[in-house]
Amino acid sequence: MLKREKSIELLNKAVADEMTAVNQYMYFHFRLDDMGYDLLSSLFKRTAITEMMHVERLAERILFLKGEVEMKCSGPVEKIHDVKAMLEKAAQMETGSVDDYNAWANECAQHADSATKKVFEGLVIEEEGHLDQFETEIENMENFGANYLALQSIERSKIISAGGTPAE
């Protein structure tokens, strides 16, 4: 029974982190959309949706273990307006998730819960993918400077002037 309780505790910590990520990334999505940076806005929206799916996967495992899903956030949404700072915050969050999920997978292995270990290992792979995307965007900003963001604004203007609507 103690093993199950520890897994539920770790899974709920992950739920809180994922819920925080959903809120933070949606804030970034709204902010970037308002600024006219459709491509980055879409990246954050898609990532937030993926994080919601992580919450669902974690909740399913908690319920399987006969636990209660705690729908709490691990922290507040940071009101960041600088695009590079948004990407750096996202990279920091993903790095933290990768580190935590790796450690928690190992902890689950130590108390013979291989199914929860696999859930965390799967999340590590997906979070590493998010981290790679955010690091690539940071590198693009460093390599291309203000031109990188200007190109995103121009892309939106081209779509609107052609009678379309900006990307979802």
Side-chain angles (χ1 to χ4, degrees):
M1 186 58 125
L2 184 59
K3 295 175 185 178
R4 178 180 292 179
E5 290 172 5
K6 185 60 180 176
S7 290
I8 293 167
E9 176 190 331
L10 295 173
L11 289 161
N12 269 313
K13 283 183 181 180
V15 166
D17 289 346
E18 296 290 336
M19 292 294 295
T20 300
V22 168
N23 291 331
Q24 187 67 64
Y25 295 162
M26 287 305 292
Y27 174 82
F28 290 162
H29 159 64
F30 301 142
R31 248 309 147 192
L32 291 166
D33 182 64
D34 186 60
M35 297 164 81
Y37 302 140
D38 291 347
L39 300 175
L40 288 172
S41 175
S42 280
L43 171 61
F44 278 110
K45 181 179 180 180
R46 284 190 322 275
T47 306
I49 291 168
T50 302
E51 303 291 5
M52 283 185 253
M53 290 186 290
H54 293 174
V55 171
E56 184 174 31
R57 190 176 321 153
L58 293 160
E60 287 169 354
R61 182 67 186 155
I62 292 167
L63 294 171
F64 176 82
L65 294 172
K66 307 294 185 223
E68 186 62 50
V69 181
E70 301 297 332
M71 297 297 290
K72 300 176 187 171
C73 291
S74 60
V77 170
E78 292 186 34
K79 307 291 195 277
I80 300 170
H81 296 198
D82 178 73
V83 177
K84 187 173 181 189
M86 288 179 190
L87 292 165
E88 289 169 343
K89 174 65 178 175
Q92 172 203 1
M93 290 170 61
E94 296 299 329
T95 299
S97 292
V98 168
D99 292 345
D100 287 344
Y101 297 166
N102 270 313
W104 297 344
N106 291 332
E107 194 168 339
C108 289
Q110 290 172 1
H111 64 260
D113 183 356
S114 61
T116 303
K117 175 183 180 276
K118 287 181 182 179
V119 168
F120 283 125
E121 288 173 338
L123 292 174
V124 167
I125 292 166
E126 292 180 32
E127 302 297 8
E128 285 178 342
H130 298 162
L131 176 59
D132 183 55
Q133 289 177 312
F134 295 133
E135 288 177 339
T136 296
E137 294 301 329
I138 291 167
E139 288 173 16
N140 287 342
M141 288 191 71
E142 289 169 354
N143 290 335
F144 304 114
N147 294 332
Y148 184 66
L149 295 176
L151 289 172
Q152 290 200 26
S153 292
I154 291 169
E155 189 63 28
R156 172 181 264 200
S157 295
K158 285 176 18 184
I159 292 168
I160 292 171
S161 66
T165 55
E168 290 274 313

